[in-house]
């Protein structure tokens, strides 16, 4: 039996469900194929800011407390998240309270007041959130890395925006963004768990009257090639945080599973190459890992670690050596099998709850146009050969590497020789 079922409402809104009759709960999502890369320069950060404001009150539920009280009354959990290519809102609740959850979610997304006083109050909250991330180098180094990769264009901007655009936001800024992108063509409604009866009819009542509109697409990324391969964010700290890697492939690339297993070999788990060499053998870092991150038209494979300031050169050289070794030497068959088992096991563990299962399906539906069955992912991982991993490693890591760094340094040139081919 298939995990996912896909239908559409009369206005083209997609509905993705993952029914699990044994569950006692249901997770209800409204997810949009819109995020920070869909912003104009003057509205940078508005996708994330709007996510906050949708919780601040509607005509029927005038305050944030009114909304929270209704979800608390059914014992539900609700939250939202903003990425560069999608934004999601959800309520997780007991199955019998599904219609309350859907009513609140749709009311928030369709009827939020965007009260001017609330907007002004929330600006301070957003700026403090911005400061929190800036003071957390382990998280913030990812922003530095993506600025380094993509430069001064939407894909390179911070999701949270900047203080100037946040302080300057008005009601019109919010409506200008949401009216463009929060349309049926970009919305997928997702429910996972015990679905209950009459779901399609209820969603048609709540959402079917929204007029479809051609939204266009996000700006295509232009990959900058000039400048230093090193970007330094100078900050006094007791530890340096580094990201070292190279551009890889976009969503849906035929070699996606080979790249996933390559990143697992390098930095997935406590027996991976980077963890073993950087932490266990040399004591250079507490945390180190490797991951691939893809967008519609770009991607990057990179290692990240928090390393000893006094041994930063050794740490960078050690990470680079492992990346280069993967590009020049085939992964032994036994090591690939371990990485395959690790990746499959983590994937299966990640789908244990209805919430996680529908989240997986929604991401694939929104970003790639189809929610693939979990068995297809497992089959894709099983099909990867030693030769596949070697080929993608040579293609990605056999070229120029890039480095983003946070620490008490101000001269990027001192690090350039450490990552040179």
């Amino acid at each position: 039996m298939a995990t996912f079922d896909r239908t559409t409402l009369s206005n083209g809104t997609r509905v993705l469900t993952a029914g699990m009759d044994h569950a006692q709960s249901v997770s209800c999502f409204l997810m949009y194929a819109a995020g920070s890369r869909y912003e104009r320069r003057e509205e940078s950060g508005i996708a994330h800011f709007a996510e906050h404001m949708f919780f601040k009150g509607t005509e029927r539920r005038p305050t944030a407390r009114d909304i929270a009280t209704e979800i608390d009354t059914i014992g539900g959990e609700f939250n939202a998240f903003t990425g560069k290519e999608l934004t999601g809102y959800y309520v997780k609740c007991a199955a019998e309270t599904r219609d309350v959850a859907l009513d609140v979610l749709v009311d928030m997304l369709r009827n939020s007041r965007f009260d001017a006083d609330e907007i002004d109050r929330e600006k301070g909250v957003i700026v403090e959130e911005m400061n929190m991330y800036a003071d957390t180098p382990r998280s913030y180094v990812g922003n530095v890395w993506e600025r380094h990769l993509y430069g001064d264009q939407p894909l390179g901007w911070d999701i949270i925006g900047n203080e100037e655009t946040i302080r300057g936001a008005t009601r019109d800024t919010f409506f200008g963004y949401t009216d463009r992108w929060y349309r049926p063509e970009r919305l997928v409604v997702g429910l996972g768990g015990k679905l209950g009866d009459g779901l399609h009819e209820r969603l048609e009542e709540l959402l079917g009257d929204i007029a479809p509109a051609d939204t266009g697409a996000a700006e295509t990324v232009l990959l900058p090639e000039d400048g230093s391969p090193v970007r330094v964010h100078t900050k006094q700290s007791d530890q340096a945080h580094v990201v070292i890697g190279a551009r890889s492939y976009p969503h849906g690339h035929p070699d996606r599973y080979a790249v996933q297993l390559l990143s697992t070999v390098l930095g997935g788990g406590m027996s991976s190459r980077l963890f073993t060499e950087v932490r266990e053998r040399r004591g250079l870092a507490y945390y180190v890992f490797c991951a691939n991150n893809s967008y519609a038209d770009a991607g990057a494979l990179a290692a990240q670690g928090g390393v000893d300031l006094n041994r930063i050169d050794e740490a960078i050289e050690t990470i680079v050596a492992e990346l280069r070794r993967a590009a020049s030497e085939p992964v032994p068959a036994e090591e690939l099998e371990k990485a395959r088992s690790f990746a499959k096991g983590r994937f299966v563990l990640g789908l244990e709850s209805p919430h996680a299962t529908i989240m997986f399906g929604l991401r694939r539906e929104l970003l790639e146009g189809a929610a693939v069955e979990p068995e297809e992912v497992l089959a894709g991982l099983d099909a990867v050969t030693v030769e596949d991993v070697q080929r993608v490693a040579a293609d990605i890591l056999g070229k120029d590497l890039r480095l983003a760094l946070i620490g008490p340094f101000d001269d990027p040139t001192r690090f350039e020789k450490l990552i040179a081919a």
Side-chain angles (χ1 to χ4, degrees):
M1 182 179 295
T3 300
F4 300 110
D5 184 52
R6 183 180 186 272
T7 59
T8 58
L9 303 182
S10 59
N11 61 358
T13 297
R14 288 165 285 172
V15 179
L16 188 74
T17 56
M20 302 178 189
D21 290 339
H22 65 276
Q24 297 301 309
S25 67
V26 63
S27 287
C28 307
F29 277 86
L30 297 184
M31 195 177 289
Y32 291 88
S36 64
R37 77 170 300 181
Y38 291 80
E39 297 166 346
R40 298 166 177 151
R41 184 180 300 276
E42 67 273 13
E43 60 187 17
S44 177
I46 203 66
H48 169 260
F49 198 166
E51 175 215 306
H52 280 229
M53 293 307 303
F54 280 120
F55 289 84
K56 295 300 181 182
T58 71
E59 296 304 320
R60 289 166 52 205
R61 301 171 174 97
T63 69
R65 182 178 175 81
D66 292 328
I67 293 173
T69 296
E70 192 148 0
I71 298 300
D72 287 347
T73 299
I74 63 171
E77 300 175 9
F78 71 135
N79 212 331
F81 49 87
T82 303
K84 291 194 173 180
E85 293 188 320
L86 56 77
T87 306
Y89 306 83
Y90 69 85
V91 176
K92 182 166 63 172
C93 61
E96 61 267 23
T97 60
R98 179 202 71 187
D99 285 353
V100 175
L102 288 173
D103 188 71
V104 172
L105 269 179
V106 172
D107 189 33
M108 287 166 51
L109 271 295
R110 294 196 65 177
N111 304 306
S112 277
R113 298 166 66 205
F114 290 99
D115 178 79
D117 290 338
E118 287 286 357
I119 290 171
D120 286 341
R121 255 192 303 274
E122 198 66 16
K123 288 176 181 180
V125 174
I126 300 287
V127 170
E128 288 310 308
E129 184 180 2
M130 197 180 296
N131 292 335
M132 178 187 71
Y133 287 127
D135 284 342
T136 313
R138 178 172 178 168
S139 299
Y140 194 70
V141 72
N143 295 28
V144 180
W145 170 247
E146 295 220 318
R147 272 181 242 149
H148 186 33
L149 282 180
Y150 304 122
D152 185 19
Q153 57 186 321
L155 207 56
W157 299 340
D158 293 352
I159 292 171
I160 201 167
N162 59 74
E163 186 167 354
E164 180 182 0
T165 55
I166 296 303
R167 296 287 188 195
T170 67
R171 288 184 90 240
D172 288 343
T173 315
F174 292 100
F175 289 128
Y177 175 82
T178 58
D179 286 350
R180 283 201 313 280
W181 302 114
Y182 277 37
R183 292 293 181 177
E185 291 81 357
R186 294 193 163 272
L187 170 62
V188 181
V189 182
L191 284 91
K194 192 170 187 178
L195 303 179
D197 298 326
L199 176 60
H200 188 88
E201 291 77 13
R202 182 61 180 144
L203 292 175
E204 188 68 47
E205 291 173 5
L206 293 170
L207 294 163
D209 64 328
I210 302 175
D214 184 8
T215 62
E219 180 182 318
T220 301
V221 68
L222 299 174
L223 300 177
E225 295 293 344
D226 56 345
S228 171
V230 178
R231 185 180 185 115
V232 173
H233 179 80
T234 304
K235 184 179 181 65
Q236 292 305 309
S237 60
D238 296 322
Q239 184 182 53
H241 294 262
V242 300
V243 180
I244 305 169
R247 293 190 177 117
S248 62
Y249 308 135
H251 295 309
H253 192 277
D255 285 318
R256 66 185 307 158
Y257 298 115
V259 176
Q260 182 179 348
L261 291 184
L262 171 62
S263 70
T264 302
V265 166
L266 286 167
M270 296 174 67
S271 62
S272 64
R273 292 183 177 187
L274 286 169
F275 196 94
T276 299
E277 191 65 29
V278 175
R279 173 170 162 159
E280 297 300 316
R281 290 181 181 161
R282 297 174 182 261
L284 292 165
Y286 172 71
Y287 84 91
V288 62
F289 64 89
C290 184
N292 185 74
N293 185 41
S294 293
Y295 296 110
D297 48 2
L301 175 70
Q304 179 179 328
V307 305
D308 184 344
L309 286 176
N310 297 317
R311 301 171 68 194
I312 187 169
D313 287 13
E314 181 186 355
I316 292 172
E317 289 173 333
T318 302
I319 294 171
V320 168
E322 290 300 329
L323 300 182
R324 297 293 189 203
R325 180 162 74 95
S328 61
E329 300 175 9
V331 174
E334 183 178 351
E335 188 177 11
L336 177 59
E337 289 310 311
K338 177 177 74 72
R340 194 191 319 275
S341 294
F342 178 93
K344 291 170 64 177
R346 288 296 174 90
F347 174 69
V348 170
L349 286 175
L351 297 182
E352 282 202 315
S353 72
H355 189 86
T357 298
I358 194 62
M359 173 81 89
F360 162 72
L362 282 169
R363 288 182 61 85
R364 285 291 188 95
E365 179 69 35
L366 274 168
L367 298 176
E368 301 178 34
V372 302
E373 292 296 311
E375 290 77 13
E376 184 178 328
V377 175
L378 297 174
L381 291 168
D382 279 335
V384 175
T385 66
V386 168
E387 292 75 20
D388 292 331
V389 174
Q390 175 64 31
R391 175 172 48 78
V392 299
D395 185 41
I396 296 170
L397 300 174
K399 55 193 177 188
D400 292 340
L401 297 177
R402 292 170 178 262
L403 164 67
L405 166 68
I406 293 179
F409 309 100
D410 55 15
D411 180 15
T413 60
R414 64 160 285 190
F415 300 107
E416 290 178 1
K417 65 181 184 298
L418 303 178
I419 64 169

